[in-house]
Amino acid sequence: MGNHSSATEFCLLGFHGSQKLHHILFTIFFFFYSVTVMGNLVIIMIVCVDKHLHSPMYFFLIHLSVLETLTTTIVVPVMLWGLLQPGIQTISLAACVAQLFLYLAVGTTEFALLGAMAVDRYVAVCNPLRYNIIMNSRTCTWVVSACWVFGFLSEIWPVYTTFQFTFCKSNVLDHFFCDRGQLLKLSCDDTVFTEFIFFLMAIFIIVGSLIPTIVSYTYIISTILKIPSASGWRKAFSTCASHFTFVVIGYGTCFFLYMKPKQTQAAEYSKIVSLLISVVTPFLNPFIFTLRNDKVKEALGNEVKRCCQLLKDLLFSESVSGGTVLIMDYSKSSVPSPPSLSSLQNPPQVYKSHSGLGSRHSR
């Protein structure tokens, strides 16, 4: 790779503006990143701990949360580091290759997983009696493994081809991470045919995962419309609402970025769409799958109550153990204990016997 490229490192321009603006952007993006990571980790822990959520839908949700965490972690820390630096940020060729490959591979895996989740929702709504038989643990594991393998294998050739070009124009990328479109701008070679191939691959990945989603939701909507009761409608819609919302946001942003024959679009346009993909969408994921999902909200409430109860029990046990120590110390001390009330009300009978003896002697 290095023999075909004149650049050994790249300079990331990041965001334009003063250092004060950079510090404001750092605060905003750091908040988004922290909430994203914590929110997705909370989802993963809740699904793993709560036995009521051990179903195929939430098994897929765990992997989606992992992918969203990886997406933002691949891009945002490098962006935050660049906002803190007063000068131009540099990134090595190897780090640029790794960042671009992981970013594209994780994104492709996520599209494949969203298609699989749509099929899972179709089976749950349209064929609920056979849901546990069709979507058993073996099938779910196989589907998720296939999504991960497909995502990472499918991006090896595009990334390899990107870095086979000679970057002789400049080594300055007008972006906050190693974006493929900005890398192709630096090439002195003819990239038209390669960009067209990348465009066809984007169509295959995005549209290929969108087709099962559209077909599944077509059958889901037709099945829901046949339900006579309003409560049945709400239950069926709540089953698919979170996934459908995430599909609209995820596919909408990626259509604007990748579904273009010309990959070398304007830098500012690419930055905005990349921010939506790597910052905004992962940030919304925990809220979409908790606020719009009754089971997750119930499980989250139960875990919060259990943690509060454990904390109360811990504090109570510490206070009780401290009181026991005081009682033991009091019992071991040499100071005599005060007389009880019963002993004062019922004096010993020996005094009566002495009084009786005294009366006899007086006689």
Side-chain angles (χ1 to χ4, degrees):
M1 242 177 240
N3 296 331
H4 297 272
S5 177
S6 58
T8 58
E9 67 176 10
F10 296 96
C11 299
L12 302 177
L13 293 182
F15 299 94
H16 304 289
S18 62
Q19 194 65 25
K20 183 178 180 180
L21 177 62
H22 285 186
H23 290 163
I24 295 174
L25 292 176
F26 174 86
T27 304
I28 295 173
F29 292 140
F30 181 77
F31 169 76
F32 272 73
Y33 178 68
S34 302
V35 174
T36 299
V37 173
M38 289 188 294
N40 284 287
L41 288 179
V42 166
I43 290 178
I44 294 171
M45 288 188 293
I46 288 176
V47 175
C48 292
V49 171
D50 197 311
K51 294 181 180 179
H52 298 92
L53 300 180
H54 290 180
S55 64
M57 174 182 175
Y58 300 102
F59 176 73
F60 291 133
L61 180 58
I62 288 179
H63 288 269
L64 182 64
S65 297
V66 171
L67 289 170
E68 289 296 298
T69 305
L70 289 176
T71 300
T72 190
T73 302
I74 291 167
V75 175
V76 174
V78 177
M79 179 179 63
L80 294 177
W81 179 249
L83 290 172
L84 289 179
Q85 289 186 355
I88 297 178
Q89 182 185 10
T90 60
I91 184 171
S92 66
L93 178 64
C96 188
V97 173
Q99 186 184 45
L100 179 60
F101 172 72
L102 291 174
Y103 180 74
L104 296 176
V106 169
T108 304
T109 304
E110 187 170 333
F111 281 124
L113 185 64
L114 287 174
M117 292 177 72
V119 176
D120 170 72
R121 293 299 82 208
Y122 159 74
V123 178
V125 175
C126 300
N127 203 348
L129 298 179
R130 300 186 59 196
Y131 177 68
N132 292 327
I133 299 175
I134 297 174
M135 303 301 297
N136 55 61
S137 59
R138 182 179 179 181
T139 302
C140 293
T141 303
W142 184 88
V143 170
V144 169
S145 301
C147 292
W148 281 90
V149 172
F150 170 75
F152 277 75
L153 290 182
S154 62
E155 294 300 335
I156 293 177
W157 181 84
V159 174
Y160 175 80
T161 305
T162 301
F163 288 94
Q164 291 302 300
F165 293 111
T166 303
F167 304 111
C168 58
K169 291 182 180 179
S170 174
N171 68 333
V172 179
L173 292 174
D174 192 5
H175 216 289
F176 51 82
F177 80 105
C178 285
D179 179 65
R180 182 169 62 188
Q182 300 305 311
L183 283 169
L184 294 176
K185 277 186 176 182
L186 304 181
S187 176
C188 298
D189 304 323
D190 185 10
T191 62
V192 175
F193 178 74
T194 304
E195 290 182 42
F196 181 71
I197 297 299
F198 291 163
F199 169 68
L200 293 179
M201 292 186 66
I203 290 179
F204 174 76
I205 293 171
I206 297 177
V207 177
S209 61
L210 188 60
I211 288 175
T213 303
I214 295 175
V215 173
S216 297
Y217 275 101
T218 301
Y219 280 102
I220 288 172
I221 293 173
S222 63
T223 302
I224 291 175
L225 293 177
K226 296 177 184 178
I227 300 176
S229 62
S231 60
W233 277 37
R234 287 193 296 269
K235 184 177 180 181
F237 273 118
S238 64
T239 304
C240 310
S242 301
H243 176 261
F244 183 77
T245 305
F246 191 83
V247 164
V248 171
I249 297 174
Y251 280 96
T253 53
C254 289
F255 263 114
F256 287 105
L257 185 62
Y258 296 111
M259 296 291 288
K260 286 188 173 183
K262 192 70 174 175
Q263 297 287 308
T264 56
Q265 58 265 15
E268 298 302 324
Y269 174 86
S270 178
K271 288 179 186 179
I272 294 173
V273 180
S274 297
L275 282 175
L276 292 176
I277 295 173
S278 59
V279 178
V280 178
T281 303
F283 173 78
L284 295 176
N285 178 56
F287 299 100
I288 292 173
F289 284 97
T290 54
L291 299 180
R292 299 184 63 87
N293 192 302
D294 294 333
K295 287 187 177 181
V296 176
K297 285 193 292 185
E298 182 181 356
L300 180 60
N302 293 336
E303 293 302 321
V304 171
K305 291 179 182 178
R306 192 173 71 171
C307 291
C308 293
Q309 187 63 38
L310 289 175
L311 183 61
K312 289 180 181 179
D313 294 341
L314 181 62
L315 294 175
F316 180 74
S317 62
E318 288 181 355
S319 62
V320 170
S321 62
T324 305
V325 172
L326 291 175
I327 293 172
M328 291 174 64
D329 291 343
Y330 181 78
S331 62
K332 291 180 181 179
S333 61
S334 59
V335 180
S337 59
S340 62
L341 181 62
S342 60
S343 63
L344 293 176
Q345 292 177 349
N346 301 317
Q349 296 297 324
V350 66
Y351 296 108
K352 291 183 179 181
S353 62
H354 283 304
S355 62
L357 289 173
S359 63
R360 289 178 185 177
H361 287 302
S362 64
R363 290 176 185 175

